[in-house]
Amino acid sequence: MRKKRKGCDVPEATIHRLPLYLEKLKLLQAIGVEDVSSRQLAESLDIKASQLRHDFHYFGGFSRPGRPYQVEKLVPALEKIIGIDEPVPTIIVGAGHLGQALANYQNLALQGFPVCGIFDVNPRLIGLEIRGQPIRDMEEMPRVVKEKNALIGVITVPAQYAQEVADRMVEAGIVGIFNFAPTDLKLPEGVALRNERMAVGLMALSFRVKCILESRLQHSPADEVGPPGESAAEGDGNDQVS
Amino acid sequence: MRKKRKGCDVPEATIHRLPLYLEKLKLLQAIGVEDVSSRQLAESLDIKASQLRHDFHYFGGFSRPGRPYQVEKLVPALEKIIGIDEPVPTIIVGAGHLGQALANYQNLALQGFPVCGIFDVNPRLIGLEIRGQPIRDMEEMPRVVKEKNALIGVITVPAQYAQEVADRMVEAGIVGIFNFAPTDLKLPEGVALRNERMAVGLMALSFRVKCILESRLQHSPADEVGPPGESAAEGDGNDQVS
DNA sequence: GGCCTTCTGTTACATCATTGACACCCAACT
DNA sequence: AGTTGGGTGTCAATGATGTAACAGAAGGCC
């Protein structure tokens, strides 16, 4: 209880980069690249090569010391680490616009998260089909979760219902919750949670925008947009300015 | 160029918490709470009070030293800091499912980001109305941006078009880009970017799920879900396990 | 008024993350 | 064979972030 022991001993920041590595590697794989060095891969992601090696270091060697990484080996290795070496059945609760958008987003399935159920309580929505899946009554959720062995649940209901939905998901056996509702969910031990709060992201962006506008006023009241220059993602990998 | 100077001198992590503070404060305000101490506010957000004070410290005093914060003062102060003391006109490019979901999400306007334009290139979509706004042809985007003084642009187009859209947004005068496409955009200086990559979030979640499943197997092959226990958001505030 | 409690602002410390440096490895070339 | 060039794994140093500790202000109470 002293140590964070957040499931594993891998740092937060590293975990967030793994998907990026995987994504880029799949892209390389698709165009037939066989080998890739830490420097090449890192540069294409705007991070330092040492960081990439450092990250990989948590999981033991991916290649013989002296040679670059082999894309064909690395992709499945990363998939296994992330836990998507086999599909992770996923359900969506809340078939509003966002829920439907997600259910329609076929990339989810391609990336290892096949949607095996969409649920709502609104009778108007129940029965509608999205990509072959009917929107089901919320009551059916536990049964479907068990049948399909769903592990991850996405919450796209209004904030006031989110906690209840989460509770029922956990009870049904869901192990990871992806929450789009702007609420702090309380979950029992042994359940992972990720909040995807878009308003927060927008406000962080707004802060930066404000700073930019201010600096424009200060530095040159009648200036045009600055000269172009590359910029790199940092932080949790979602933000940048310059 | 040595220092990160990411727009302002406020740390990343702090910026990401500001919206959470504001959200919670608005909630308190709505139920008539007048004063709130750093401890109360911090506890309700599952963070340490010292961190909250530390964060506020970047922006100078919000209250007389000896007394708790006044909600009525703090809310507008935070809004000003974040840059939403007045509405930030926002456009959406890409009227697919996700774009429509966002356009429908009235909370955006409530939180300070009124959608003043939705654009697409698909003739089938152009003309459809969403909450009173017609989906417009992409060609009209620059004009609308100037007319409405739009500052933030949301990109919800397929990845392969995202860079082009971003370029046109910047040219039109957009200062902040909220990108849902899984691409690394290259932007000129003086434009803020936030990537909202849902697949990345899902995979980070999957990693945790995998860890949980593994630990269940190890610790007690036939164990039930563990005893309930509170859990706290950490990292960029989006993840937690336990 | 003087004391006590509660609270903030601020500074110092501990922890985590990123970056740089280097030893060793492997293949290719001389 | 020896040597050169590029590569990874690893560790140490730097930088950023989170946490605790504390001095001093404001009001309530005696």
Side-chain angles (χ1 to χ4, degrees):
Chain A
M1 191 64 85
R2 196 89 303 254
K3 300 246 64 177
K4 275 205 186 172
R5 80 142 222 357
K6 186 94 72 71
C8 294
D9 56 348
V10 181
E12 278 320 288
T14 295
I15 295 174
H16 289 331
R17 278 187 294 266
L18 293 180
L20 301 179
Y21 298 151
L22 178 59
E23 187 178 75
K24 191 64 78 174
L25 282 166
K26 276 182 167 174
L27 222 67
L28 292 177
Q29 193 179 35
I31 59 175
V33 176
E34 291 183 358
D35 296 330
V36 65
S37 72
S38 60
R39 191 165 40 76
Q40 290 172 308
L41 189 51
E43 266 174 18
S44 75
L45 285 161
D46 285 310
I47 62 171
K48 295 285 186 294
S50 54
Q51 178 162 78
L52 190 150
R53 293 200 299 271
H54 194 86
D55 285 342
F56 282 6
H57 180 226
Y58 285 98
F59 307 102
F62 285 127
S63 86
R64 288 90 21 141
R67 301 269 67 205
Y69 300 106
Q70 294 169 270
V71 179
E72 303 290 329
K73 296 251 173 84
L74 208 44
V75 168
L78 279 175
E79 283 180 340
K80 194 152 177 37
I81 290 168
I82 294 174
I84 52 173
D85 47 326
E86 47 194 70
V88 180
T90 301
I91 63 165
I92 298 172
V93 173
H97 291 284
L98 182 55
Q100 290 192 31
L102 289 173
N104 266 293
Y105 186 48
Q106 67 258 46
N107 276 24
L108 284 193
L110 291 178
Q111 308 219 336
F113 303 94
V115 175
C116 67
I118 316 160
F119 304 90
D120 207 301
V121 292
N122 184 344
R124 280 195 187 156
L125 294 174
I126 294 169
L128 283 183
E129 287 220 350
I130 301 179
R131 296 192 89 76
Q133 290 269 347
I135 297 175
R136 293 193 171 89
D137 190 296
M138 184 62 184
E139 299 301 324
E140 298 186 49
M141 189 266 284
R143 182 177 58 73
V144 174
V145 167
K146 276 162 193 114
E147 263 181 41
K148 311 262 181 157
N149 263 305
L151 289 175
I152 288 183
V154 182
I155 297 182
T156 54
V157 299
Q160 68 257 42
Y161 306 119
Q163 181 65 57
E164 187 196 332
V165 169
D167 292 340
R168 293 176 71 177
M169 278 181 172
V170 172
E171 203 186 327
I174 288 291
V175 187
I177 290 182
F178 200 50
N179 175 38
F180 281 90
T183 318
D184 291 321
L185 298 177
K186 300 295 180 192
L187 298 179
E189 287 226 9
V191 180
L193 170 64
R194 170 148 183 124
N195 291 309
E196 198 79 19
R197 212 168 300 190
M198 293 190 281
V200 171
L202 259 178
M203 289 192 194
L205 184 62
S206 171
F207 179 85
R208 301 261 168 60
V209 167
K210 191 207 58 172
C211 292
I212 289 173
L213 292 180
E214 279 170 4
S215 75
R216 278 191 193 169
L217 286 181
Q218 283 176 16
H219 290 331
S220 44
D223 205 13
E224 271 306 291
V225 286
E230 303 301 290
S231 46
E234 324 177 14
D236 53 351
N238 292 8
D239 299 287
Q240 72 184 80
V241 162
S242 232
Chain B
M1 191 63 85
R2 194 90 306 250
K3 301 245 64 177
K4 275 206 186 173
R5 76 146 228 351
K6 187 96 70 71
C8 293
D9 55 348
V10 181
E12 279 321 287
T14 296
I15 296 174
H16 289 334
R17 278 187 296 267
L18 294 180
L20 301 179
Y21 298 150
L22 177 59
E23 187 178 74
K24 190 64 79 174
L25 282 167
K26 277 182 167 172
L27 222 66
L28 292 176
Q29 193 178 36
I31 59 175
V33 176
E34 291 184 357
D35 295 332
V36 66
S37 71
S38 60
R39 191 165 40 77
Q40 290 171 309
L41 188 51
E43 266 174 18
S44 76
L45 286 162
D46 285 310
I47 63 171
K48 295 282 185 293
S50 54
Q51 178 163 76
L52 190 150
R53 293 200 299 272
H54 194 91
D55 284 342
F56 283 5
H57 180 226
Y58 285 97
F59 308 103
F62 285 126
S63 86
R64 289 82 29 126
R67 301 270 70 203
Y69 299 106
Q70 294 169 270
V71 178
E72 302 291 328
K73 296 250 173 83
L74 208 43
V75 167
L78 279 175
E79 284 179 340
K80 194 153 175 44
I81 290 167
I82 293 174
I84 52 174
D85 48 325
E86 47 194 70
V88 180
T90 301
I91 62 164
I92 297 172
V93 172
H97 290 285
L98 182 55
Q100 290 192 31
L102 289 173
N104 265 293
Y105 186 49
Q106 70 258 46
N107 276 24
L108 283 193
L110 290 179
Q111 308 219 336
F113 303 93
V115 175
C116 70
I118 316 161
F119 305 90
D120 207 302
V121 291
N122 183 345
R124 280 193 187 158
L125 294 173
I126 294 168
L128 283 182
E129 288 221 346
I130 301 181
R131 297 191 87 76
Q133 291 268 345
I135 298 174
R136 293 194 173 88
D137 190 298
M138 184 64 186
E139 298 301 322
E140 299 185 48
M141 191 266 284
R143 181 177 57 74
V144 174
V145 166
K146 275 163 194 112
E147 262 181 41
K148 311 263 180 156
N149 263 304
L151 289 175
I152 287 182
V154 181
I155 298 182
T156 53
V157 300
Q160 67 257 43
Y161 306 119
Q163 181 64 57
E164 187 196 333
V165 168
D167 292 341
R168 293 176 72 177
M169 278 182 172
V170 171
E171 203 187 327
I174 288 291
V175 187
I177 290 182
F178 200 49
N179 175 39
F180 281 89
T183 318
D184 291 320
L185 298 178
K186 299 295 180 194
L187 298 178
E189 287 225 10
V191 179
L193 170 64
R194 169 146 184 129
N195 291 309
E196 198 80 18
R197 212 169 299 191
M198 292 190 280
V200 171
L202 259 179
M203 290 192 193
L205 185 61
S206 172
F207 178 85
R208 300 263 169 59
V209 167
K210 191 207 59 169
C211 292
I212 289 172
L213 292 181
E214 280 170 2
S215 75
R216 277 190 194 173
L217 286 181
Q218 284 176 16
H219 289 333
S220 45
D223 205 15
E224 271 305 291
V225 285
E230 303 302 290
S231 45
E234 328 176 8
D236 54 351
N238 291 7
D239 298 289
Q240 74 184 81
V241 163
S242 237

